[in-house]
Amino acid sequence: MNRLFFVGAGPGDPQMLTLHGAEALCDCGVVYYSEPYDVAFADFLQGKELFDPFDFGFHQLLEQIESQLQKTSVAFLVPGDLTFYSPYQGIVCHFAEKAEVIPGVGVANVASARLKRTFDLPAVCNRALIVSPKTLGASSSAPELEELAARGVSLLIYMNNMPLEELVAKLHKGYGADVPIALFYRLGLPEEKVLLATLDSIVATCDGVDYFHLNEPEKRPALTFVVVGESLCAPVDTTWWDQKRQTDWAKRKKAGKN
Ligand SMILES: C[S@@+](CC[C@H](N)C(=O)[O-])C[C@H]1O[C@@H](n2cnc3c(N)ncnc32)[C@H](O)[C@@H]1O
């Protein structure tokens, strides 16, 4: 039976496609993709029928997929993966048993790897919150960004739609301090840029470059991810390992032997 795959495609670097995702893609005659995967995944997409899902209305898209599934398996290349901010949930639900979701490498995972930092850090940061000013702003009952920003929180910000100066002002209000901030532009793609600064210096560090494409609304949304919080740079408490070993790991190991 032909299948409908939602392949977590990672941030764009084909090396971050999982083996499972690559195998599924090989089996599909039809692939739905968005920029930048057409260029980045060109080798995987050769000989396949390609479609941009955003060219179709929802019901038109469902009908077209039904008809394509009569002939071949179909894949959607899901940016990052389905876990956060994926537009495809309605299609996954519609196809229910016929749909298979293959996990991928999320943008947050790549950002953490680039900085070589975990986004929670004992005694420094005990919460990592995933947010987007775009979706927070879509509902009047949602908290403001500055209410979520606080000491001890790493904020993982997707799809920023605010001018950088405004974003920084809100974050400053929430954190009440000059904390580290990192901008990740087109991770995993040839134009990749990582800018690590603090709230006070990030605007100058960006040097007038519009990393969010806010001045070019006709362009596709920018692939720019932001992480803020002390976890990015705080010194690591090196006594933590031995404390944890004493309180948890050693006890567990002993219990496992009994
Ligand atoms: C619709 S969301 C998709 C998130 C994706 N589902 C994930 O789990 O990583 C799109 C947002 O993800 C971030 N993003 C996606 N690809 C990126 C990349 N290659 N580099 C930096 N940010 C990226 C940007 O914040 C962009 O606005």
Side-chain angles (χ1 to χ4, degrees), residues 58-179:
F58 186 66
H59 291 288
Q60 190 189 10
L61 188 56
L62 297 183
E63 274 174 31
Q64 179 167 284
I65 298 167
E66 295 277 14
S67 133
Q68 289 163 334
L69 282 172
Q70 306 293 319
K71 299 180 213 124
T72 179
S73 288
V74 175
F76 274 71
L77 288 177
V78 183
D81 87 344
L82 196 82
T83 319
F84 303 111
Y85 302 119
S86 172
Y88 300 134
Q89 188 62 60
I91 308 170
V92 174
C93 289
H94 176 85
F95 285 95
E97 292 306 309
K98 271 192 211 161
E100 183 174 339
V101 177
I102 298 177
V105 177
V107 169
N109 308 119
V110 184
S112 156
R114 289 294 188 262
L115 294 185
K116 303 185 192 174
R117 298 293 293 196
T118 181
F119 294 147
D120 75 296
L121 198 59
V124 174
C125 172
N126 53 24
R127 287 152 289 163
L129 302 183
I130 287 159
V131 293
S132 169
K134 198 169 164 184
T135 54
L136 286 177
S139 147
S140 57
S141 60
E144 295 284 333
L145 192 61
E146 54 267 47
E147 295 171 61
L148 299 173
R151 304 302 290 270
V153 171
S154 290
L155 274 184
L156 279 51
I157 305 177
Y158 291 78
M159 299 180 291
N160 173 51
N161 60 357
M162 270 183 225
L164 185 58
E165 290 81 354
E166 196 183 318
L167 178 71
V168 165
K170 283 179 182 282
L171 294 170
H172 230 302
K173 196 167 166 202
Y175 281 99
D178 182 25
V179 299

Side-chain angles (χ1 to χ4, degrees), residues 7 13 29 45 62 89 99 113 149 196 198 221 229 244 246 248 257-258:
V7 178
D13 179 348
L45 300 179
L62 297 183
Q89 188 62 60
L196 177 62
T198 69
K244 192 80 184 151
Q246 238 174 12
D248 295 3
K257 278 188 188 144
N258 295 332

